[in-house]
Amino acid sequence: MMIDLLVGVLLITGAGFMLVAALGVWRMPDLLTRMHATTKAGVLGAGLILLGVAIHFFDTTVTVRVVAIVGFVMLTAPIAAHAIGRAGYFIGVPLWEGTIKDELKGRYDEAQHTLSSGPADQDKDAS
Amino acid sequence: MEFLMASLVGILFASALYMMLRRSIVKLVIGLVLLSNAANLLIFTASGLGSGQPPLIPPGADVPVGAVSDPLAQALILTAIVIGFGVLAFAVVLIHRAYEVVGADDMDQMKDTDT
Amino acid sequence: MSHVVALPVLIPLLAGSISLIFWRSHSAQRWIGVIANAALLVASLWLLRETWVHGHLVMHMGNWPAPFGIVLVSDLLAAIMIVLTGITGLATALFSLSSIPREQERFGYYPLLHLLLAGVAGAFLTGDIFNLYVWFEVMLVASFALLILGGERAQMEGAIKYVTLNLLSSALFLTAIGLLYGVAGTLNMADLAVKLAEVPPEQSGLLTVIAMLFMIAFGIKAAAFPLFFWLPASYHTPQVAVSALFAGLLTKVGVYSLFRFFTLIFDQDVAFTHEILLWMAVLTMLSGVLGAAAQYEFRRILSFHSISQIGYMILGLALFTPLALVGGIIYIVHHSIVKASLFQISGLVYRLRGTYELKGLGGLFRSHPWLSILFLIAALSLAGMPPLSGFMAKFIIVRAGLEAGAWVAVFFALLVGLLTLYSMLKIWNEVFWKAGPETQHEVPTRGQSPRLTYYYLPIALFAVMTILLGVAIQPIYEIAERSASQLLDTRGYIEAVLGVQP
Amino acid sequence: MRMHSLILRTAGHFLLPLLILFSLWLLLRGHNEPGGGFIGGLVAAAAIALYLFTMDLQAARKALWVDPRNLIGIGLTLAVLSAIPGAVLHGQPFFTSQWWPMTLPLLGEVKLSTPLIFDIGVYLVVIGSVLTIVLFLAEAEE
Amino acid sequence: MIALTWNLLLALIWVALWGEFTAANLVVGLIVGYLVLAFALRDMPAFASYVAKVPRAIRFFFWFNRELIRSNLTVAYDVLTKTHYMRPGVIAVPLEASRDGEITIVANLISLTPGTLSLDVSSDRKVLYIHVMYLTDEAEVVRSIKDLERRVLELMR
Amino acid sequence: MILQIASTLAYILLSAALIFAFIRLVEGPSLPDRVVALELLASLTVGFIGVYVLVSGATPFLDVAMVLALTAFLAAIAFARYLEKGGHREDDD
Amino acid sequence: MLLAVLSGFILAFLAPWLTPRLGRAVGWLFGLLPAALFVWFASFIPVVASGETLLFSYPWVPGLDINLTFLLDGLSLLFALLISGIGTFIVIYAGYYLHGEAYQGRFYLLILAFMASMLGLVLSSNLVALFVFWELTSITSYLLIGYHHEEGKARASALQGLFVTVAGGLALLAGLVLLAVAGGSYELSELLTSGDVVREHALYLPLLLLILLGTFTKSAQFPFHFWLPNAMAAPTPVSAYLHSATMVKAGVYLMARLNPTLGGTETWLLLLGLIGATTMLIGSYMALRSTGVKQVLAYSTVMALGTLTMLIGVGTEKAITAAVAFLLAHSLYKGALFMIAGIIDHETGIKDFRELGGLRSAMPLTALFAGIAALSLAGIAPLFGFVAKELMFEAVLEAPAIGTVITLFAVASAMMVVAIAAVIGLRPWFGPRLPTKKTPHEAPPSLLAGPAVLATLGLLFGLLPMLPGQHLLSAAALAVAGEPIEVYLSLWHGFNLPLLLSATSLAVGLLLYWQWSRVQPALARLAAWDHLGPERGYEKVMASIVSISDSHTRLVQNGYLRYYILTIISTLLLLLAWTILTRYPVLPSPDLSGIAPHTFTILAITALAALYAVTTRSRLGAVAALGALGFGVALIYVLFSAADVGITQVLVETITVIMLVLVLFRLPGFLDFTLSGSRLRDGFIAVLFGGTITLILLMTTEVQFFPPISEYFIENSGPLGHGRNIVNVILVDFRAIDTLGEIFVLALAAIGVYAMLKLRAEDRKS
Ligand code: NA
Ligand code: NA
């Protein structure tokens, strides 16, 4: 009974986080902020639900699989986020007007496909 | 349930056909993807949507415990998915090449071979 | 059980696989091409003989009992079709030796050829409707690839239509299979025949609805009216060896499937289904021949005639009498040979003169009398002139039609014969009789072999066959007759597949 | 042209062996659990495709080591040949499955069988075909 | 690395001794192997650091999950309420990590933790560009990122 | 009983999430936005599968989630590569 | 007998090889074959004359009632003798006439094959075999008429002749099959005795009309007569052969042959009598109007064919006797005259009567035989033509019902024929010598042999009419009549009405000849009315074939893929609707209970993803939507317990998206091409299509006639398949062949893609 309760809570919390992620994707103002919602909430939501599954079955094979799935998600989600975020930024998807700082601006050299580490103005002087 | 699935299948078929009736060859490809999915779901629906267990035999047993969903239909769909994928791959590249050779994404510029 | 049933499928499959392994070697590809196709022909003749002697041959693949596993079944119709596959395959392989440019050999021409034949053979032999779908797709994708080999603009344009409409057909076919499996719970053709026959008549309307889907799906594959559009759009665009193979074999698979389904499985409502087939046949004959009359390009004329000839074959099925089925079968045999031959001739003419346009051709009777005679034999045969194969085929259909009282169908069958003669003689006049043009096109050889031997060899063999099919048709007739009775009395098929029914 | 991302490149290095291992696992367990040659092959192909995207075409080709077209031919041949043992050895119909249970050191009892050979053929063909398509598309794109 | 190999080998021997290859056996084998190594070879540096890493890894695991939940709650709050409280911005954080693997793991973990998302590494690998949701106190953000990096590097090196 | 209620609730929450993610997919406005939505859909699918496994007891379905977790991100990578190589950005309005 | 028929074919196929090797002697040597055949056939005269009918049977396709059965009675023997006899002279004649031409070998191939076909035709007892030979004569004659094939007119004439005769031939085929249906046999030998059954049969009228369509076209009866004069484009030996004894007489032969079976009815009498008489009149009128040597002869052939048809139609004892006599007479004089026309052309290079004159002295023998043959044509005693004509007058005078009309026609025709005969027999030879292109000489023996013998025979038979009459013609008449009749031929019948008619026509005819140079142009001016004639009809038919097929093809094969798809789907919908409305399948009653909200949402999102992919203007948005659709579909599979399918769907979807992204890279964005009207139409059809599929799917889900066979797999997957994943066991074992095909599809797609992409790369390089 207690276990069922725990599993139920995990299930609902996990699903709730996923809903939050979806709401975030829906409501957040620009690409990067949306991605904050999905990367974290998605991973956490799926992880909680699967944790519930693992507890419910309490079986090695299930647990191994759950661990593998969560591991895979945690492995791939940030990579995907990195790829999309980076691409989105570089192709000029606009940032939200509330963004207060952008240190990456102007540091990407499209011709050489290089990203400098110094401040943007320095880079411009050099070239 | 069957009603919903049948409606979905109908919508997919309709969407596929509508896309195939466009002049744009890119839309044609999208139509083909939809068509393949529609046909697969149709097999799935027609073979019965029982809420049985997956057709897997538990370790140590000879037959599955309880009712299982139709494994043959699943095998057919699997085959159909793969075939659909192969064919689609070909079609996609064909359209790519056709666009390159013709220089337009327009079926109406591809009617010289008929008459 | 005899292993020969599976050989016509396994030989080309293995040949295709192995030549893919050796895809870098021209000579290996060519050798495998000829040897495997010769082996296929031998196997197919052997299969025909075995089927003739022993009746239906069945192989329960994987040793699983029918209707659960997949069966390969050879009745006489299938065996005849397999022999045609062997003949066309070998002829194409030989023809290819002279005609296929080297760079296309490098891009998988021979493996594609083998696998196309495998798909065709599989479609003819399988006794399972889903497996039929699979073989259809094998054949289809192989034909797609053969169609675009060369990468010309016309090929791409033609291929888009070919691919799209054939995929539409496949989707309908798959849909129909799904629905049929849904109501009958089986995929085995013999099992379907048994089970559908038990469906009470007041409920069999649904079966007829599903039958319509099959009819349209196969009608598209067979290039029947008004479903044939993909054929004239594409058949004249690939290498002519490929056109010949397509024209000789591919549409026959659709026709064969119509024959199989509408004799074995869907015979609940013959008055309805076969009446539709009858109209389809008549309109196909007419529409095709009118299309041909409007063309002035060698291969396009031939392409449209393929359609019109398909009409005759379907007419044989639609009339649904023993004699009509015999006629349909003989028509299939006749047309495979003659149409493949005509396409090959067009290719040779192109090789000699560098164009397929009738206006730019001429003078070949003067310069190439033997080729002219070979053309005339094939052309007159296509037009149904005696004593060639086409006459026998047409005569049987006409006789069957008249005996069945199908006056309109017979009228159009005869009229279409006349119009076929008209466009064949148009070619004869323009290409052979007319004086040659002042300026000759430059003849592109494009890496083809300089020798023409392998152009003439298959064409000549086809000519011999069409003559023999006319003057020495008795053995073929006997086979076709027994085949027709097998089609009409399905008990033999069912018992061979499922064992003796209670 | 490569994607100049160190993160992606490193992730690619790391994920490739993982995915290949995963694909082999899917292949071998397919007879008993979800998986099989087709699914395994697709995962393996996806692994190489990942290399293509995180690094470049040359890296992907190198990672695959063999020409994908050879994989097609070998896989098909294997699949077709798996039809033959039963017919030759016992006169059974083609594709009658043959089972050769054997005990191997470390692995214990292993059932070598024609369905397994067949599935391995499927696996190879899927890898070969999908990668032929993807790699040559990528090449054409460049 | 050699220590991990030893641990695995011991686990396999454990499984072989039991004569049955099951997941449970393997897990038990790994734990037993670890304990044996921790006890027997505690004086050899290579093994000592390996032994020390395991509890650190476990600690890291729990710390990380706590951060994950915290970050999600923050974002959830922002998502679920009407106004946007966030102050997003892109900042450049100097990297201590130098090897490809280290950088990648750091970057990925940053993406999974509170309000930060790794965008890219500079070509000279000196700087990691990060999108930050709540950039009200940049120094604090940088500090927590460096903290994470430190924890990771401890584990890796 | 508890599990039934919880799973139903979880299903409903996930369904709602599905709808919002889909809206973003449709609205865009940029391609990366759509791809992010697609990624989320993949995660949601994993969640659905988790709940389904719990409800039905069909643990082999975890394998579907496993494959999904390991490969679905490839699509996002492909899109990203496409964008960086200068695919039609103006495609999206 | 088989050898006799086939020997011609055998020699024909050797001819192209032999001809260059035999040199000048080729005509004489090849002539040995027909000569031998003539002698061989002649040896049957005694037997046949005694009223016996010989049957020779060789099985061909017994199952189809197709056999090489040869029937030798008076009629077929008469024809066989004419074919081989005149054939002999033609072959000899051509040896000289065509000497040195490049394609003499091909000519012999064709003429010998034609001769053999003709023999086969007249000897066949089997209807199908007869038809086979019938069509063979059409083809060989087509090739012969088009012998000078590089001239456009020769090709056009050849085609015209073939098209008309083959069109008729096809009707004939249908008619013969119906005849076999009505008479219960494909053998003439049996049908000849079952005339009563056939005539009473319901199919009598259609089969009669069909057969007559065949014979009328072949024998150039009105309104199909126009092809015959055009066929004069052929070399003269061909014209001489085809239009004297063979090709055009095939139709007459068949009518005569079938007289016992089909004849004797009112329809028969009216059709044959009136059309024959009309043809006769038109033929002689056209001949009188013409000036070309071969033209005049051709139209006079039309006249003769009309006469024969008319006589067969009348069908009385007299008429039949007249017919066989006229047949023989015409063959003899027409063969001779054509060969003489060839000699004139060969020696002078002139083809028009108006430019000929005074050749008598240059070529006296030719002139002599021309005169004799012309006398026979004119029907002047003591030539055999006179005997035949007198009999004809007797026959028409006593013809039932239409006697008066056809007598008038016959007399009018006879008048003109006399004039024509005079033009032929007198004009080139007498009067002032007109200039010629070449210097004319007497023809050599090989050219002259034919005219000499044939003309002489005409004279001989005229003087001794019982010579042919007693044996051959009476047997032939017997065969035509189908019952014993009295044949008595004589030169002198006493002073009677026929003689009076003959005399009148002779007088008027000579008058016409006297005024020929005025009459001919006057008549020729009537050519302005020819556009009402049947030849224009032919041209219109041919033109309409082209225009109909053009517009049909533009309409049907219009090049627009979407119209193709629309047509196919509309056809499908039409058939489905028709089936549903007439075959009454059980309509579904959907059950909406038990739908979980999440299932509904997933289905809805899947559907919406599809709809978004359809409606979006963003191309990659559509691809992303397809991805979403793929996840939705995968979820559906999972929710209904299909694990492997779910995994596969996910993987395939992912790789599809990758592929689409790779490909769409360089493709442009979506463009809106279509108008809103067509979007509305397409949308309507699409919805109709989707709705129909939904309806049918629902019907099938409500019915389950039999339990599915999958139970077997569930039971046996473990014990027999040694696997716990039933789907996988099905895929790699139970139904491994499906999977085998599937991987081949994949491999083929890869090869295709490779070839497409790589060949392009090669193109770029070069
Ligand atoms: Na907020
Ligand atoms: Na059902």
Side-chain angles (χ1 to χ4, degrees), chain G residues 297 303 326 329-330 332-334 336-337 340 366-390 414 417-427 429-430 454-460 462-463 491 502 505-506 510:
Chain G
L297 291 175
M303 174 279 295
F326 197 90
H330 175 254
L332 295 177
Y333 69 70
K334 192 54 64 67
L337 287 176
I340 287 164
T366 313
L368 172 66
F369 298 130
I372 297 172
L375 282 175
S376 192
L377 165 65
I380 294 172
L383 277 300
F384 193 60
F386 172 74
V387 179
K389 194 181 69 178
E390 291 302 290
V417 168
V418 169
I420 299 159
V423 169
I424 299 165
L426 303 174
R427 197 167 169 89
W429 320 107
F430 296 96
L454 296 179
T456 313
L457 278 178
L459 181 61
L460 181 69
L463 294 170
L491 192 58
S502 285
S505 52
L506 181 64
L510 288 173

Side-chain angles (χ1 to χ4, degrees), chain D residues 37-123:
Chain D
F38 185 76
I39 290 171
L42 278 182
V43 170
I48 304 288
L50 175 70
Y51 237 52
L52 170 72
F53 290 131
T54 56
M55 270 154 270
D56 56 18
L57 188 59
Q58 281 70 36
R61 285 241 165 91
K62 245 176 85 185
L64 182 60
W65 185 60
V66 283
D67 190 307
R69 283 165 294 173
N70 287 344
L71 284 182
I72 300 179
I74 293 166
L76 290 177
T77 311
L78 215 54
V80 176
L81 287 181
S82 81
I84 296 179
V88 171
L89 298 176
H90 309 296
Q92 291 159 325
F94 289 108
F95 284 102
T96 304
S97 57
Q98 307 297 311
W99 294 83
W100 302 289
M102 55 184 74
T103 316
L104 290 180
L106 282 178
L107 290 169
E109 202 194 12
V110 169
K111 282 182 185 165
L112 186 63
S113 63
T114 51
L116 181 66
I117 297 174
F118 181 79
D119 224 13
I120 292 172
V122 172
Y123 179 77

Side-chain angles (χ1 to χ4, degrees), chain G residues 471-489:
Chain G
H471 305 286
L472 196 55
L473 294 185
S474 59
L478 172 84
V480 177
E483 57 204 8
I485 55 171
E486 182 103 354
V487 173
Y488 182 75
L489 298 182

Side-chain angles (χ1 to χ4, degrees), chain E residues 77-79 81-85:
Chain E
Y77 180 70
D78 208 346
V79 165
T81 52
K82 212 169 170 82
T83 37
H84 294 309
Y85 298 110

Side-chain angles (χ1 to χ4, degrees), chain D residues 18-32:
Chain D
L18 181 65
L19 281 164
I20 300 271
L21 188 80
F22 187 56
S23 82
L24 284 170
W25 176 73
L26 284 169
L27 162 69
L28 293 175
R29 72 198 280 269
H31 216 51
N32 292 318

